[in-house]
Structure formats: C-alpha cells, structure tokens
Amino acid sequence: MPMIELRDICKFFGGVIALNEVSFAVEAGEVHCLLGDNGAGKSTLIKILSGVHRPSRGDILIQGEPVVLHSPKDALDRGIATVYQDLALVPLMSVGRNFFLGREPVRKSGPLRLFDVELANSTTLAALREMGIMLRDADQPVGTLSGGEKQCVAIARAVHFGAKVLILDEPTSALGVHQASVVLKLVAQARARGIGVVFISHNVHHAYAIGDRFTVLNRGRPIGTHKKADITRDALTGMMAGGKELIDLERELAALGVGTSRAATPAQH
C-alpha cells in the first residue's frame, strides 16, 4: 500500500488549470522522481502534497485512508515533511538551533524555561553522524556551511523527527558535483530506512541516478510514469524536453534553412 497517493488531482486558480488529472503514489522505501520543466506543475503538486493547497478535485490517501490536508502542520503531523529550496534555515543561528527550530528542547532554571543548548547540540551531532554527516561543531552558524551541508542538515532534521514521506524540492539544483553526490547518498540512506521520497527535479542525470520510478509532468498533465528498469535516461530526457515537439521544431527549422551550415551549401562557380 502506498505511503501517500494522489488520485486524479486537479487544481484550478480561477481560469488557470495548474494540474489536470494527476495521479501519483509513493511507496515505502522508494524514491519517486517528479520531473518537468518550469511551469509543468511541480510546485503546485508539492504544495498539495505538503498541505499548502487543497486540490480543486481528486483524492489524497495516506496508507489507503482518504484524508484532507488542511495545512502544512497537518501534513507534518501525518509524517509528510517537505524540504523546500530555501531550506527554512536561519543563517545566523547555530546548526543545533536550526535543527530544533520549532521543537526546542528546554530545561528549567527556577521559574524560567531555557533552551537546552547542550542537549540540542549533542542530539544534532548524533543524528547527523547517524546519517553519515560529520560536522565539527553544532554551535557554528548554519550560514557557514556549504550548500550541500545545509541540504543534509535539512534532510537529516526531517528524518530525525519521524518523516515517513520526504518531499525534496530541487535539492541538487544549486550544488556542484561533489556536493550533489553527498545529498544523493543521503537520499539513498533515507530510502534504506523505509522512507518514501518524492524527489522533484529538472535534472535528469541526478534523478536517474537515485530514482526508482519517474513521473513526468508537462503543463499540469502527467505524460507518463515509468520504473527505472523500463526507461532509459535518454528516453526520460526526451519526455521532459517535449519529445515530439522537439522533432517537429527541428523539421520546421530545417524547412526554413535555419541551422544549415554554409559548408553544406554548394560552391558557387
């Protein structure tokens, strides 16, 4: 039974159709990649999965039970955690404070309740180590970390607090090759723990490296869901890029003589 499933989801903003008849499911211990170009509807689907938007039509099921997600907190309480591109981290605050943001452990000092820095820092370092991330000091400002390390902190935080479904919004888009590989390894660890991962990206190379299934959106419509064994990376790239539209465009350009090199034209005598 899928951890979370969307059936025939539609979302309208006035006369604009953002999503049209989208069905999508995430199994436990699976990385399901959601692919599409800008304007494909990925952001709207994320917001429906995470409780920001309610669908205009269609059903959401969590472990087979129909639900209505009224808010992001409602989704979080049901084990659906979203890591957005901005990561929801405060640069000037420490790693430990960011890790427990909104869930601060406290200790009593007389009538006062104070943030327990020691407990937060030791728990943060232990949770990060458990995910294979070695940090020197949980007291360092999170703004001093690399982009990959920040992504790792945000993902490890979601896993530590019991996420059953982890939604990652373009987690490798602004990262170099090494940092992206670190994040992809962390996603693989989350999958190994039985967490269902929704990996949103327009980078086919990163998605294909980590994904188990792939759903491609185009202008709010799903144009196919495939298991990794059933589709090549090149075919997936063609689906994302428009496939037939690109072929038609190349034919039109060829007919107009656009892109024909001068070397290919007959020599003038």
Side-chain angles (χ1 to χ4, degrees), residues 60-208:
I60 301 174
L61 293 85
I62 295 179
Q63 294 185 311
E65 177 192 353
V67 299
V68 176
L69 299 176
H70 297 281
S71 68
K73 185 180 182 304
D74 192 12
L76 199 57
D77 289 343
R78 294 176 180 273
I80 304 167
T82 305
V83 178
Y84 291 100
Q85 280 181 283
D86 61 11
L87 302 177
L89 299 175
V90 183
L92 296 179
M93 287 173 57
S94 72
V95 175
R97 287 296 297 267
N98 271 282
F99 197 86
F100 280 92
L101 200 60
R103 302 180 178 91
E104 291 81 358
V106 295
R107 60 181 175 83
K108 290 185 179 180
S109 179
L112 302 176
R113 290 165 61 85
L114 306 175
F115 177 68
D116 194 334
V117 177
E118 237 179 82
L119 177 61
N121 286 353
S122 61
T123 304
T124 297
L125 291 176
L128 292 174
R129 275 197 303 271
E130 196 177 337
M131 298 293 290
I133 308 156
M134 308 303 292
L135 283 187
R136 296 178 298 278
D137 184 6
D139 266 329
Q140 69 185 104
V142 82
T144 63
L145 302 181
S146 69
E149 287 172 330
K150 289 175 187 173
Q151 278 283 354
C152 289
V153 168
I155 293 170
R157 177 177 64 184
V159 172
H160 176 75
F161 286 105
K164 297 175 184 175
V165 176
L166 184 59
I167 303 169
L168 303 179
D169 180 18
E170 300 278 3
T172 60
S173 62
L175 304 182
V177 175
H178 174 69
Q179 292 183 5
S181 68
V182 172
V183 172
L184 293 177
K185 287 176 186 175
L186 192 61
V187 173
Q189 288 191 36
R191 172 175 58 193
R193 289 167 171 250
I195 296 170
V197 181
V198 182
F199 189 96
I200 293 97
S201 182
H202 62 267
N203 188 317
V204 177
H205 296 281
H206 291 167
Y208 199 79

Side-chain angles (χ1 to χ4, degrees), residues 29-65:
E30 173 193 48
V31 177
H32 194 145
C33 297
L34 182 64
L35 303 170
D37 212 340
N38 293 334
K42 301 191 303 295
S43 296
T44 304
L45 193 60
I46 292 169
K47 288 174 181 174
I48 287 174
L49 284 165
S50 59
V52 175
H53 291 327
R54 289 176 65 178
S56 305
R57 214 167 52 221
D59 300 308
I60 301 174
L61 293 85
I62 295 179
Q63 294 185 311
E65 177 192 353

Side-chain angles (χ1 to χ4, degrees), residues 241-264:
K244 184 178 180 300
E245 292 179 14
L246 280 181
I247 293 171
D248 291 343
L249 176 61
E250 286 175 1
R251 287 173 179 166
E252 288 177 24
L253 292 176
L256 294 171
V258 178
T260 304
S261 65
R262 292 191 178 186

